[in-house]
Amino acid sequence: MPIIQPPDDAAIERAAALLRDGRLVAFPTETVYGLGADATNGEAVAAIYAAKGRPSFNPLIIHVADMAALDDLVAWNDDARLLATSFWPGALTLVLPRRPAATISLLASAGLDTLAVRMPSHPVAQKLLRAAGVTVAAPSANASGKLSPTTPAHVAESLGDKVDMILAGGKCAIGVESTVVNMATGAPVILRPGGVTREQIEKILGRKLDVFDAAAGEKDAPAAPGMLASHYAPHLPLRLNADSVADDEAFLAFGPDIFVKGGAARLNLSPQGDLYEAAANLFAMLRELDKPAYAGIAVAPIPDTGLGLAINDRLHRAAAVR
Ligand code: AMP
Ligand code: MG
């Protein structure tokens, strides 16, 4: 059976059975493709870390099809409920206190007393989660530290036969990961900018939010779990906020091309300067330009508002010295 399967009802049933059986299934979400396993099965969760080559301190997001599935797992508070009802299903992950009785594998949350939870909106993800009937732990379906996958082919390239099935669901509409907000302690803090913007969240909560500073965390001992400075990394060096392009560099443009000269190859995240279009294209275009033929990738400046915050976060990590 080919590993990439169109998401018809039969394939979704097979994928659900694989998950219940402790196997790994890659599935589409509106953010990026996820690598799913039964979150209550420690061995299945361990297989995720093994397939990704992921450091074990980096906790996974727990995915559910409806809010009721979370009642036994996490302790809600008013702000968290407000955000969940406003943005779910969607690209927002909430970090909440883990209930003592939660049966989620401790490995999935890297031994923390919190859980990161999300309800994805992609119809294939929704169907799979309902059919599986188990809570699904899922990081992005790529080798740890590398570019996130936004098509089924990206998953196959990155993980190959380490995954038991890849459910196809087209190109991810948002294209960057979910926004992670810590709602477990005191004032909410954005741990990772993502598909729901800071401005959208601030509007609902009626107050300004802090954004966790990844650069302050650094390398082996991240101040927030999973916040490694170097992540989402292509093989080539990245040069950000480029205002010129060398002849041997590839160029990733944004908005109307103002300096048209130079560059051995060029792609434009969004010629119209639309940050939604740019986010959806980001990982696929970085992959396409990440070829040994070029000396590096020069990236045009991206505004730091709306989805630009998430795009710039990924670009800075991709550019971080490793
Ligand atoms: P990924 O699944 O690859 O999209 O990454 C999930 C991210 O969610 C991790 O990198 C962490 O930063 C964050 N995360 C998951 N669980 C927790 C948690 N319990 N506390 C804080 N951050 C978390
Ligand atoms: Mg990831």
Side-chain angles (χ1 to χ4, degrees):
M1 194 201 312
I3 189 172
I4 298 182
Q5 296 281 309
D8 54 33
D9 289 350
I12 286 176
E13 278 308 326
R14 282 199 302 280
L18 284 170
L19 287 173
R20 287 191 295 270
D21 201 28
R23 313 275 289 278
L24 301 184
V25 173
F27 62 98
T29 81
E30 66 279 18
T31 59
V32 302
Y33 274 72
L35 177 62
D38 176 356
T40 63
N41 177 336
E43 284 174 27
V45 172
I48 292 181
Y49 289 100
K52 284 181 66 83
R54 175 174 233 186
S56 57
F57 50 69
N58 200 341
L60 309 176
I61 294 172
I62 306 302
H63 291 67
V64 294
D66 53 59
M67 278 180 74
L70 290 173
D71 285 344
D72 296 335
L73 303 183
V74 293
W76 287 96
N77 56 59
D78 290 346
D79 279 349
R81 265 195 202 284
L82 182 60
L83 291 184
T85 49
S86 304
F87 296 108
W88 283 0
L92 179 71
T93 295
L94 300 173
V95 174
L96 290 167
R98 175 190 173 115
R99 283 196 186 283
T103 51
I104 303 295
S105 143
L106 279 174
L107 188 58
S109 57
L112 299 169
D113 54 9
T114 52
L115 285 178
V117 295
R118 165 167 120 83
M119 189 199 302
S121 68
H122 195 295
V124 175
Q126 283 272 340
K127 281 188 195 166
L128 176 65
L129 293 169
R130 285 184 203 287
V134 293
T135 6
V136 169
S140 51
N142 56 281
S144 183
K146 301 296 187 220
L147 293 170
S148 295
T150 54
T151 66
H154 292 163
V155 181
E157 269 163 41
S158 198
L159 296 178
D161 59 9
K162 292 182 184 144
V163 47
D164 295 299
M165 190 197 284
I166 301 171
L167 270 180
K171 179 181 167 185
C172 300
I174 296 178
V176 290
E177 293 80 353
S178 60
T179 304
V180 180
V181 187
N182 185 3
M183 306 296 295
T185 44
V189 177
I190 296 184
L191 296 179
R192 173 178 77 181
V196 171
T197 66
R198 172 188 194 162
E199 294 86 338
Q200 288 174 301
I201 299 171
E202 288 178 342
K203 193 163 165 206
I204 295 291
L205 291 181
R207 63 169 128 151
K208 295 277 172 209
L209 286 193
D210 283 334
V211 180
F212 175 75
D213 181 3
E218 287 312 295
K219 308 245 157 165
D220 320 321
M227 293 295 152
L228 295 175
S230 168
H231 206 67
Y232 312 103
H235 298 96
L236 290 179
L238 240 62
R239 196 163 63 78
L240 305 185
N241 297 312
D243 56 5
S244 64
V245 193
D247 287 341
D248 57 358
E249 275 182 322
F251 181 48
L252 187 59
F254 174 80
D257 256 339
I258 30 175
F259 38 98
V260 210
K261 297 278 173 297
R266 74 174 52 212
L267 291 173
N268 197 320
L269 287 169
S270 170
Q272 292 83 28
D274 174 354
L275 289 167
Y276 284 85
E277 184 183 15
N281 284 328
L282 178 68
F283 290 124
M285 289 189 173
L286 280 173
R287 274 169 196 270
E288 205 169 322
L289 295 178
D290 192 21
K291 305 255 163 68
Y294 314 129
I297 305 173
V299 186
I302 317 276
D304 217 14
T305 56
L307 273 189
L309 195 65
I311 295 172
N312 283 319
D313 172 81
R314 304 305 183 270
L315 286 170
H316 279 109
R317 288 170 206 267
V321 180
R322 318 157 219 152

